Amino acid sequence: MTKKNIVMVLVDDLGWKDVGGDFYETPVLDEIAKNGMVFDEAYSTCPVCSPSRASILTGKYPASLGLTDWIDNSGKIHPLEGYLIDAPYIKHLPRREDNLAKILKRNGWRTYHVGKWHLGGTPYHPDQQGFDVNIAGCCLGHPPNGYFSPYRIENLEDGPQGEYLTDRLTDEAIGLIKNNGDAPFLLDLWHYAVHMPEGAIESDVEYFRKKAAAMGLDRIDPFLDGKEFHTLDKRGMHVRRRLLRSDPVYAAMILSVDRNLGRLIEALEETGKKEDTIIFFTSDNGGLSTAECSPTSNLPASEGKGWVYEGGVRVPLILYGSGIPKGKVSSFPVTGADLLPTILDMLGLEAPDTDGTSFLPTIQGNEQEERAIFWHYPHYGNQGGTPASAVRKGRWKLIEFFEDWRTELYDLEADIGEKNDLSSQYPEIASELSRQLASWRKSIGARIPERNPKVDHPL
């Protein structure tokens, strides 16, 4: 057993193209990418937050847990209806499930959760799920009063008027590191940023306003209206897609996350803990690009949060620190369910039965066997997505849509934008992947949405 510290920095709704680029600025992340390992084909297990967070903790797919959609603040299922009725799902992370915090705590680690939780109410908060300390973790999916104090977030005292939430959560994480002592620790710093509603430090926003003007981005309409939503509540409304990364407030929120990551690393250095720490930086789902202000674009990937297309499930993943190779980029597809078995493998601890696979061999430079990755989202997304399942194996990805049971097949190596459906051109591949997807759903008891008796035909 190797007693390394594990730091998991999880950013809410951060798209795979939100790190660096021409408009957004992430100097700290750029630096750790150069001195760490980047997985450029990393995925969340779900295109929305609660299920993918549960996967990270447990190593299980959302459908295995029965937690396949986000949990609303009241703990009730939000009933989006269209041609189908959303499949039922549970409203919390079951306490019976083993998870990373519980396992590490049993083996002598101190366990800290700071930030967004969104996995159930008080009986299911982090302190009931293996964490010694819970700061700001509760049922909330976003800061109810915005990003400036007073926050009105359970398990977090309000700070001085105008204090910025991303700064405050990092302050809390740094305090835990400085007061930890010599025991190994797990620190989950799960930011509420960059989830809507937008909110950022004005000087940062002004910097990006000027940058957008200098680049001419403020003179380009970044939006394009698409097809109608399929849900009854938005009938007649059109999906509004962002095609350009140019939002100054969103850029400022990303910069703040990056700046605070730098502060966290500095704290590890000052306490002498950096050499014994492994940092995981990732997101819970793709960037929000088709609704609710559509603050970012995931192009060249298609769509975003709430969709099973690449833009909805492809996320940034950077590993940095003890034992991580420097300057390495891997195209081995990994998913959020793989994080728990990988971390336990790194630490020499036995993992429970999971749906995920350790990718430590890839980190160590060894070949890993190609395997299938699955998604099951039997719900209408607030952002326009419709109920579907998907599977990726190698270069091929198949999506099966439950409204009409049609399938789409894409060659991701040639077509990351999922523009060219090849199901008729390669029927044998489509058929085999469809068979694997159906078999997987059956093996885990995945729920399938039922027809809506209120609707006579597809919307």
Side-chain angles (χ1 to χ4, degrees):
M1 182 169 62
T2 302
K3 293 204 169 183
K4 302 288 186 182
N5 307 311
I6 302 296
V7 174
M8 175 81 67
V9 180
L10 183 66
V11 186
D12 196 2
D13 290 358
L14 187 74
W16 76 298
K17 284 294 186 180
D18 289 350
V19 176
D22 293 334
F23 185 61
Y24 304 147
E25 296 184 13
T26 52
V28 175
L29 283 164
D30 295 346
E31 187 64 22
I32 70 168
K34 292 178 184 176
N35 292 284
M37 185 170 183
V38 175
F39 286 81
D40 63 2
E41 297 193 30
Y43 292 97
S44 63
T45 58
C46 188
V48 295
C49 55
S50 300
S52 62
R53 290 164 181 268
S55 287
I56 289 170
L57 285 167
T58 65
K60 293 186 177 181
Y61 280 122
S64 294
L65 296 167
L67 203 175
T68 50
D69 207 359
W70 65 275
I71 304 166
D72 72 8
N73 293 349
S74 67
K76 298 177 182 178
I77 295 174
H78 55 285
L80 289 183
E81 295 184 10
Y83 182 50
L84 303 174
I85 299 174
D86 272 3
Y89 64 100
I90 60 174
K91 303 184 285 285
H92 57 266
L93 175 63
R95 293 196 310 209
R96 68 176 180 273
E97 295 289 342
D98 214 354
N99 68 42
L100 184 61
K102 292 178 182 178
I103 294 167
L104 293 188
K105 186 174 181 176
R106 290 198 298 267
N107 285 278
W109 270 255
R110 292 176 180 162
T111 54
Y112 307 130
H113 178 87
V114 180
K116 176 173 171 175
W117 180 246
H118 204 188
L119 288 170
T122 302
Y124 307 100
H125 281 180
D127 58 310
Q128 303 297 316
Q129 302 270 15
F131 288 92
D132 296 319
V133 174
N134 170 34
I135 298 173
C138 58
C139 67
L140 295 173
H142 61 84
N145 202 39
Y147 282 89
F148 294 91
S149 185
Y151 310 114
R152 299 174 186 166
I153 295 174
E154 190 177 354
N155 301 314
L156 180 70
E157 291 185 7
D158 288 333
Q161 184 77 28
E163 178 187 66
Y164 191 56
L165 181 58
T166 305
D167 295 339
R168 169 65 180 280
L169 295 178
T170 305
D171 290 343
E172 296 286 355
I174 289 172
L176 291 169
I177 291 171
K178 289 184 175 180
N179 294 311
N180 177 77
D182 295 329
F185 62 85
L186 165 69
L187 170 61
D188 280 0
L189 176 53
W190 289 12
H191 285 294
Y192 282 88
V194 292
H195 196 289
M196 298 293 96
E198 289 185 311
I201 297 168
E202 183 55 34
S203 58
D204 291 336
V205 177
E206 182 59 23
Y207 170 80
F208 283 105
R209 285 197 191 105
K210 292 179 178 177
K211 182 174 182 179
M215 295 175 67
L217 300 178
D218 61 339
R219 298 189 295 274
I220 303 172
D221 183 357
F223 298 108
L224 178 67
D225 285 344
K227 295 181 179 180
E228 287 188 15
F229 282 90
H230 283 215
T231 52
L232 296 176
D233 65 317
K234 294 184 178 179
R235 197 164 193 175
M237 298 173 61
H238 290 260
V239 173
R240 196 180 195 210
R241 295 180 174 85
R242 178 177 276 271
L243 307 179
L244 189 67
R245 290 178 278 273
S246 61
D247 185 329
V249 183
Y250 189 78
M253 294 176 77
I254 292 172
L255 180 63
S256 177
V257 167
D258 186 80
R259 181 189 296 133
N260 279 287
L261 177 61
R263 293 179 58 222
L264 191 74
I265 293 172
E266 287 176 3
L268 291 168
E269 290 176 337
E270 291 170 3
T271 56
K273 301 180 187 300
K274 182 183 175 185
E275 296 305 314
D276 293 319
T277 300
I278 307 169
I279 296 174
F280 290 72
F281 179 92
T282 190
S283 173
D284 57 355
N285 48 249
L288 178 59
S289 65
T290 61
E292 304 160 57
C293 300
S294 301
T296 195
S297 171
N298 300 299
L299 291 174
S302 177
E303 308 301 8
K305 177 182 179 178
W307 304 71
V308 296
Y309 290 111
E310 289 292 286
V313 292
R314 193 174 283 220
V315 295
L317 176 61
I318 303 172
L319 276 58
Y320 172 76
S322 180
I324 303 300
K326 294 184 178 181
K328 186 175 180 180
V329 178
S330 172
S331 294
F332 180 70
V334 299
T335 185
D338 298 332
L339 294 179
L340 178 143
T342 300
I343 290 170
L344 295 180
D345 203 2
M346 287 176 164
L347 300 176
L349 296 172
E350 185 175 350
D353 289 337
T354 68
D355 298 321
T357 300
S358 170
F359 53 87
L360 181 59
T362 294
I363 295 171
Q364 295 173 333
N366 300 314
E367 292 291 326
Q368 280 196 252
E369 184 178 356
E370 181 179 272
R371 45 68 190 262
I373 292 174
F374 299 96
W375 295 269
H376 182 65
Y377 190 56
H379 310 284
Y380 289 98
N382 289 333
Q383 302 77 22
T386 62
S389 285
V391 55
R392 175 179 175 175
K393 188 170 185 182
R395 67 192 298 161
W396 298 103
K397 179 180 175 184
L398 179 125
I399 305 174
E400 193 163 46
F401 295 92
F402 295 129
E403 283 189 330
D404 54 8
W405 289 96
R406 79 183 190 283
T407 58
E408 296 174 0
L409 178 69
Y410 298 102
D411 177 356
L412 294 181
E413 288 187 10
D415 179 26
I416 191 174
E418 294 165 295
K419 296 177 180 178
N420 302 308
D421 176 12
L422 301 176
S423 55
S424 60
Q425 188 173 341
Y426 296 97
E428 292 182 358
I429 294 174
S431 178
E432 174 57 23
L433 288 176
S434 183
R435 184 197 63 78
Q436 289 186 34
L437 184 56
S439 176
W440 171 76
R441 284 197 303 256
K442 183 178 180 180
S443 71
I444 61 173
R447 306 293 292 268
I448 305 297
E450 297 179 355
R451 292 284 182 92
N452 189 348
K454 301 176 186 177
V455 181
D456 294 329
H457 56 81
L459 296 174

